Amino acid sequence: MSAPGPARHGGGVVALVGNPRPASRTHEVAVRAARALAPGTTPEVIDLTALAPVLLGPAPSAAVEDAVERAGSAGLLVVASPTYKGTYTGLLKAFLDRVRSLAGVTAVPLLVMGSPRHALAVEVHLRPLLVELGATVPTPGLAVVESDLGRIDELLAEWAAALRIPGAVWARD
């Protein structure tokens, strides 16, 4: 988990990474997507690899509660996961099960996948979960196929330009 930035607990831009592998491609895509959606900001990152050992533990974890609070108070929350068994990871699900509400949060679902056959997973599985938690999900999610990672900046720029979320104002650093 990265150190909290100046936008902490105040409606900033947060990238939530549900990949159980440290330094993953999903992490990189999530950060780049957040920057594409909110140019000029440095997104705060909640990387669940750091929380995995305590997320399902029997004792309460201050680190998990802090991460839940940061996700729930984001202005823009980019929720990213690799596809795993046709949907998002269990690590991401375990974390989101701790989140009571994402009311007031604009969330953008993002999945990184090996095959375009899983492209619907972002809309069929991850988007409905974020909506169920109360997030505003004003746009289709993004399905990034691994073969497109070499041109990810171009892909994200096209995606962000097409979104044009009305009234989107994110906290600046």
Side-chain angles (χ1 to χ4, degrees), residues 19-172:
N19 194 321
R21 297 176 198 240
S24 67
R25 293 177 293 200
T26 306
H27 182 280
E28 182 64 24
V29 172
V31 170
R32 287 181 180 202
R35 287 182 182 147
L37 290 172
T41 64
T42 300
E44 180 178 358
V45 178
I46 300 171
D47 191 334
L48 297 181
T49 57
L51 297 176
V54 295
L55 189 59
L56 295 175
S61 165
V64 170
E65 291 309 312
D66 181 63
V68 166
E69 182 182 334
R70 288 184 285 138
S73 65
L76 172 65
L77 181 65
V78 175
V79 180
S81 173
T83 52
Y84 186 74
K85 307 242 184 213
T87 187
Y88 46 84
T89 63
L91 180 61
L92 180 61
K93 177 67 165 101
F95 177 79
L96 290 174
D97 281 348
R98 298 276 186 112
V99 174
R100 288 172 201 70
S101 174
L102 290 176
V105 174
T106 299
V108 178
L110 186 158
L111 290 178
V112 177
M113 57 200 60
S115 169
R117 292 181 316 217
H118 296 127
L120 285 177
V122 71
E123 289 299 308
V124 173
H125 299 293
L126 187 51
R127 186 177 207 278
L129 174 59
L130 298 173
V131 170
E132 177 65 26
L133 287 170
T136 300
V137 186
T139 65
L142 179 62
V144 177
V145 181
E146 289 175 1
S147 61
D148 287 332
L149 291 175
R151 61 180 205 94
I152 192 64
D153 289 328
E154 176 188 338
L155 179 72
L156 290 172
E158 292 170 6
W159 175 67
L163 294 183
R164 303 271 187 229
I165 301 171
V169 177
W170 320 116
R172 301 284 179 203

